Amino acid sequence: VVMRNWHPGPLGFELSADAFSYVYSKAILEALDMIEGAFSNGKDPQDTWSASKRKVVLKRSLPAPLHCDPLYCSVDQPPSCLNYEKPTFGYWGARLEDPNGSLNPHKGEHQNWELWTENNDWTYMVDKQDVAVYQDSDEKEKCRHLDACGGISAATKENGMAVFRLPKMEVGLIVICGCCGKDVGENMFLNNTSLEFQYNSQSMDRSTWDIWPNEKCVRITKSHSVSSTT
């Protein structure tokens, strides 16, 4: 994973992408030269580089992870994550239930949580040098970063419930994270007496929650064995 916790801005990402493209393009050209050389020597490239001769690597071929809770490393599928940041790709797993949906246990009750995404200007997370170069340019919009934090929130407890439909879970781990800040988990969730979590319409025991895996997130259930007994 490249630049997981650092944002150089669109032009910084473009520079990295160009570097990767250069390396891969060079490798492709070298591969084509090797294939052409095989043809010139009267050899069939499929005999030399047949896919059937490649080593097949399966899950069981990999060594045990160095740092991973066995409870969460015992399943084939990675955790799914519902978030309202932009851009977001892939399968999100959980989804927000329609307040008037037939499967919503709180249908008919007031459910008024707001979905939001930060509206950042073109200088957001853009390198200062790029800002200096493009601030008076008609092309400064190309510097705009696509990233934007987002979430779902309620102003008061009178906003009611927000119901999420969870996907099929093998372990039963449920984690909720807050925005915006690196250490919002304690105040936003653990110490927030206006907040209640229910699982299958059963209220969750607040004393079992803990900060995990970082200071902005709270683990509501560790496994099915916990969530099914509360």
Side-chain angles (χ1 to χ4, degrees):
V1 179
V2 180
M3 301 177 186
R4 172 62 181 85
N5 292 312
W6 179 62
H7 299 275
L11 299 185
F13 282 119
E14 182 179 342
L15 177 64
S16 300
D18 289 344
F20 279 117
S21 298
Y22 176 80
V23 173
Y24 294 146
S25 298
K26 183 178 179 180
I28 291 173
L29 290 174
E30 291 184 2
L32 291 173
D33 288 340
M34 295 171 65
I35 294 173
E36 185 177 14
F39 278 125
S40 300
N41 294 327
K43 297 180 180 180
D44 187 343
Q46 289 187 343
D47 295 335
T48 306
W49 298 289
S50 174
S52 63
K53 297 180 181 179
R54 297 174 187 169
K55 182 179 180 181
V56 178
V57 179
L58 303 176
K59 176 186 175 182
R60 62 175 178 269
S61 305
L62 301 174
L66 296 178
H67 305 285
C68 190
D69 189 325
L71 177 63
Y72 304 138
C73 290
S74 60
V75 296
D76 293 330
Q77 296 297 322
S80 59
C81 177
L82 171 65
N83 72 83
Y84 297 101
E85 296 181 344
K86 291 183 177 180
T88 298
F89 306 98
Y91 175 61
W92 55 85
R95 64 179 174 85
L96 183 65
E97 193 72 21
D98 186 338
N100 297 313
S102 60
L103 298 178
N104 190 324
H106 296 277
K107 178 181 179 181
E109 301 177 15
H110 190 55
Q111 301 174 56
N112 189 30
W113 284 61
E114 179 185 3
L115 299 177
W116 57 269
T117 303
E118 287 186 337
N119 183 23
N120 303 310
D121 64 22
W122 71 273
T123 63
Y124 177 67
M125 291 197 300
V126 175
D127 185 87
K128 292 181 179 179
Q129 292 180 333
D130 291 335
V131 173
V133 171
Y134 286 94
Q135 61 183 352
D136 297 322
S137 172
D138 294 336
E139 297 182 334
K140 60 175 172 285
E141 277 299 316
K142 73 178 184 179
C143 298
R144 183 183 294 274
H145 210 299
L146 297 180
D147 280 17
C149 290
I152 180 172
S153 60
T156 67
K157 61 183 179 181
E158 279 69 32
N159 288 109
M161 289 285 191
V163 180
F164 296 91
R165 180 161 298 279
L166 304 181
K168 178 182 178 181
M169 298 186 293
E170 294 186 52
V171 176
L173 170 68
I174 302 176
V175 178
I176 185 168
C177 299
C179 178
C180 298
K182 300 297 184 182
D183 56 356
V184 298
E186 184 171 356
N187 289 332
M188 187 174 288
F189 303 119
L190 289 186
N191 298 334
N192 187 351
T193 57
S194 296
L195 188 66
E196 176 187 3
F197 287 106
Q198 296 182 358
Y199 184 78
N200 289 339
S201 298
Q202 298 295 315
S203 295
M204 308 299 294
D205 183 358
R206 182 182 293 269
S207 66
T208 63
W209 306 353
D210 63 336
I211 298 292
W212 190 93
N214 55 54
E215 298 297 321
K216 68 187 302 181
C217 303
V218 168
R219 179 166 49 182
I220 305 302
T221 67
K222 298 180 180 180
S223 64
H224 283 306
S225 61
V226 175
S227 59
S228 61
T229 59
T230 54

